[in-house]
Amino acid sequence: MNFIKVTQRYEPHIALIELNRPKELNALNLELMGELRDALKQLDNDEDVRVILLTGNEKAFAAGADIKQMADKSAVDMLVIDQFSTWDQIRKTKKPLIAAVSGFALGGGCELAMTCDMIIASETAKFGQPEIKIGVMPGAGGTQRLTKAIGKAKAMELVLTGRFLSAEEALAYKLVNKVVPVEMYLYEAAQLAREIAQMSPIAAQLAKESVNRSFETHLDEGLHFERKNFYLAFASEDQAEGMQAFIEKRKPVYKGK
Ligand code: DAK
């Protein structure tokens, strides 16, 4: 594993996955996502593991998909790469998955945290869907999950302005379960995991599946819709300009084309 660290026996019945691209603020490149998918699959099949913790580091949970890897992609490239199958497999993890978030959880990073079942955040956590600033839109469930979690008005604001939500606001908007001082976020997530690990793993799995079912019937349709529009954004000149501007550390000039 080059981009994640897996501790299969972090504590009894609890596994820990750490995103590990610190210099790039854990930007989610294709390799990292592949490793994450494989690790989750393996832990899901490990009978001794009952709860999985997913974390980054103090500065970043993940600052989004890797813009440098996406910048020159066309809509067809994105279709062929089909990252969605990886995200779909991650979403299908059967065991309870808890995100321990500190620092940036942006774009795909925010979407990844929301794909988890619960989020424990440090006081320094910042959530956001800033894709609009680089000429695209959320592509891994952001428009659907964020809206369901925090409501239309606030979701619209975040998705259309790219503004960040502080940990305190994320708690007020029910995006996260708990906010704790930065030195406590992993401990607190592990505490939650410990409690769940004492329950029947079968019951936990079935209960998780059922809670998710409460909105997933509509989510499938929503995700499908979001994906079409996400691909479409890659057909625009603004996508290339937005991502190139980020790489060149300058302000993008959008033409609406
Ligand atoms: N991609 C690539 N590199 C990134 C990055 C990212 N998302 N975020 C940060 N980095 C890199 C920076 O380029 C910099 O690299 P060097 O210049 O040192 O080589 C390094 O990490 C440190 O970042 P900064 O110097 O910018 O650090 P600051 O503390 O000044 O700023 C920041 C932190 C988080 C505010 C800033 O880095 C930033 O704005 N980052 C971009 C945030 C963003 O726009 N995220 C959304 C990306 S789009 C899909 C699934 C998901 C997605 C798409 C498709 N499919 C299933 C198809 C998701 C899309 C996105 O997430």
Side-chain angles (χ1 to χ4, degrees):
M1 300 277 178
N2 291 322
F3 299 111
I4 65 171
K5 275 200 251 172
V6 181
T7 311
Q8 200 135 345
R9 308 275 179 265
Y10 180 62
E11 285 191 19
H13 303 305
I14 301 172
L16 173 70
I17 302 178
E18 293 163 273
L19 306 178
N20 189 28
R21 273 191 95 196
K23 276 198 210 135
E24 292 82 8
L25 305 182
N26 289 333
L28 306 167
N29 63 11
L30 295 174
E31 297 79 3
L32 184 155
M33 290 306 293
E35 289 181 10
L36 181 59
R37 173 201 57 212
D38 294 347
L40 285 170
K41 190 166 183 207
Q42 201 226 328
L43 295 172
D44 231 10
N45 290 332
D46 180 337
E47 280 190 12
D48 188 58
V49 172
R50 294 186 179 175
V51 185
I52 304 165
L53 294 169
L54 178 62
T55 197
N57 54 53
E58 273 187 23
K59 176 133 198 238
F61 177 73
D66 190 325
I67 302 172
K68 292 164 191 169
Q69 202 172 46
M70 276 189 303
D72 63 351
K73 299 286 181 289
S74 67
V76 173
D77 292 335
M78 294 303 281
L79 192 76
V80 171
I81 293 169
D82 186 24
Q83 260 205 82
F84 291 121
S85 62
T86 301
W87 283 79
D88 279 341
Q89 284 177 52
I90 290 173
R91 160 163 96 92
K92 287 185 179 140
T93 304
K94 296 192 187 104
K95 292 179 182 165
L97 187 52
I98 302 173
V101 175
S102 181
F104 298 110
L106 305 176
C110 186
E111 290 168 313
L112 183 60
M114 291 192 292
T115 303
C116 296
D117 303 311
M118 284 163 282
I119 303 175
I120 300 295
S122 90
E123 285 167 348
T124 63
K126 289 184 189 67
F127 297 87
Q129 299 290 160
E131 291 89 340
I132 192 98
K133 291 187 172 169
I134 52 166
V136 287
M137 58 170 279
T143 62
Q144 306 301 299
R145 287 199 185 87
L146 189 67
T147 309
K148 287 193 163 74
I150 71 174
K152 177 180 164 182
K154 204 67 191 174
M156 210 49 114
E157 180 186 323
L158 295 196
V159 168
L160 293 182
T161 65
R163 279 185 200 164
F164 300 162
L165 212 55
S166 68
E168 199 187 323
E169 289 173 301
L171 185 65
Y173 282 100
K174 302 189 170 71
L175 181 64
V176 306
N177 294 69
K178 195 167 183 180
V179 176
V180 295
V182 66
E183 57 281 5
M184 296 284 288
Y185 72 99
L186 187 55
Y187 173 85
E188 196 65 39
Q191 186 65 24
L192 181 59
R194 258 175 240 136
E195 202 174 324
I196 298 167
Q198 287 170 32
M199 310 300 164
S200 151
I202 303 290
Q205 189 175 312
L206 294 174
K208 165 176 170 162
E209 197 182 13
S210 303
V211 172
N212 279 338
R213 187 49 70 94
S214 73
F215 62 84
E216 277 191 348
T217 352
H218 304 291
L219 185 68
D220 267 343
E221 208 180 303
L223 288 175
H224 184 69
F225 196 78
E226 185 188 77
R227 283 166 195 194
K228 292 276 173 235
N229 287 350
F230 178 79
Y231 283 138
L232 208 54
F234 270 76
S236 72
E237 287 176 26
D238 284 352
Q239 171 268 331
E241 166 62 11
M243 293 191 176
Q244 200 52 42
F246 173 82
I247 292 168
E248 291 167 13
K249 299 186 191 287
R250 61 171 172 82
K251 244 182 146 219
V253 181
Y254 293 125
K255 295 194 222 139
K257 285 185 184 166

